Amino acid sequence: MVETAVASNTAPPVPQRSPRDRAFDGLLWLGLGATLIWSFLPSGMGEIGDAFAGGDRMATFLADFTSPSFRYWETYLRLMLETVQMAVWGTVLSVVLAIPFGLLSSANLSPAWAVFPVRRLMDLLRSINELVFALIFVVAVGLGPLAGVLALGVHTAGVLAKLFSEAVESIDARPIEGIRTTGAAPLEEILYGVIPQVIPLWISYTLYRFESNVRAAAVL
């Protein structure tokens, strides 16, 4: 019994990393350091001291925010409401686009020949900034909130389609198989087997993007 108690109190051996793993970690840290050195001057980090030298000007600029002028408060209020309205419609349009594209981007629902091009298209949409899309749509519809709404809708559609497809790919396949055995059509499989499983995540992602779109609408 004494030997058993001594054995139970003995700490388990600490696993040792292999030389190959340690070498790989060293290469990662070396690559990170080389990347920081390589991008130091091109990124302007060599002039970071100017941020501290101009601190008094920054303080003067920030102090102006403590004494705002509400002389044109009606205009400010109208523009604030317009910003929220742009975000609402931009998000709605993005969801309308993201649902079909998200389903087409899901490897467990769509064929490979459709998944690859749709995913690349969504990569393109979310990699282009809203301001660039806004400049494109201004040419078509002119200056105004509509160009911003379209820009938000197209850009956010690329983001939501990616998130929607990842949610679809993580679902439980058994409900879909059960629905399929009843002879249901593919659309019915999606409506009754896929949507009920992913709708909480989809709503969460949509609300998150709405918050981001409010900020982006203010910039636009």
Side-chain angles (χ1 to χ4, degrees):
M1 293 181 64
V2 174
E3 294 178 354
T4 303
V6 172
S8 61
N9 292 329
T10 303
V14 178
Q16 299 293 327
R17 295 178 60 83
S18 65
R20 180 178 178 181
D21 292 338
R22 290 196 296 268
F24 182 73
D25 292 344
L27 288 175
L28 287 179
W29 285 108
L30 182 62
L32 176 60
T35 302
L36 292 175
I37 295 173
W38 169 69
S39 59
F40 186 81
L41 291 178
S43 64
M45 288 298 295
E47 303 172 359
I48 193 171
D50 295 344
F52 300 97
D56 55 342
R57 295 190 298 271
M58 293 174 59
T60 302
F61 181 77
L62 293 176
D64 292 339
F65 286 97
T66 61
S67 57
S69 174
F70 294 99
R71 180 179 179 183
Y72 304 102
W73 66 271
E74 293 180 351
T75 302
Y76 299 153
L77 179 61
R78 178 179 59 82
L79 293 177
M80 289 173 60
L81 294 177
E82 184 179 283
T83 298
V84 176
Q85 292 164 347
M86 288 173 58
V88 168
W89 273 104
T91 305
V92 170
L93 292 180
S94 68
V95 171
V96 172
L97 294 174
I99 289 177
F101 283 124
L103 294 174
L104 289 173
S105 301
S106 304
N108 58 339
L109 291 182
S110 302
W113 59 264
V115 171
F116 181 80
V118 173
R119 284 185 176 180
R120 300 294 78 80
L121 176 60
M122 295 301 101
D123 292 343
L124 177 65
L125 294 184
R126 67 174 175 269
S127 65
I128 300 176
N129 190 269
E130 300 97 333
L131 286 174
V132 179
F133 278 124
L135 293 174
I136 296 174
F137 287 118
V138 161
V139 178
V141 301
L143 291 173
L146 179 57
V149 169
L150 295 176
L152 291 175
V154 172
H155 174 78
T156 308
V159 178
L160 287 181
K162 171 68 173 177
L163 298 174
F164 286 4
S165 65
E166 290 181 348
V168 171
E169 289 177 347
S170 64
I171 63 174
D172 187 358
R174 289 174 295 182
I176 301 178
E177 294 173 356
I179 295 173
R180 186 177 298 130
T181 58
T182 64
L187 181 59
E188 293 174 325
E189 295 177 11
I190 294 174
L191 290 177
Y192 302 109
V194 176
I195 300 299
Q197 296 189 63
V198 299
I199 195 64
L201 278 177
W202 283 12
I203 293 175
S204 176
Y205 293 147
T206 301
L207 293 176
Y208 165 71
R209 286 306 305 179
F210 170 72
E211 178 184 349
S212 300
N213 284 342
V214 173
R215 173 194 56 81
V219 175
L220 291 174

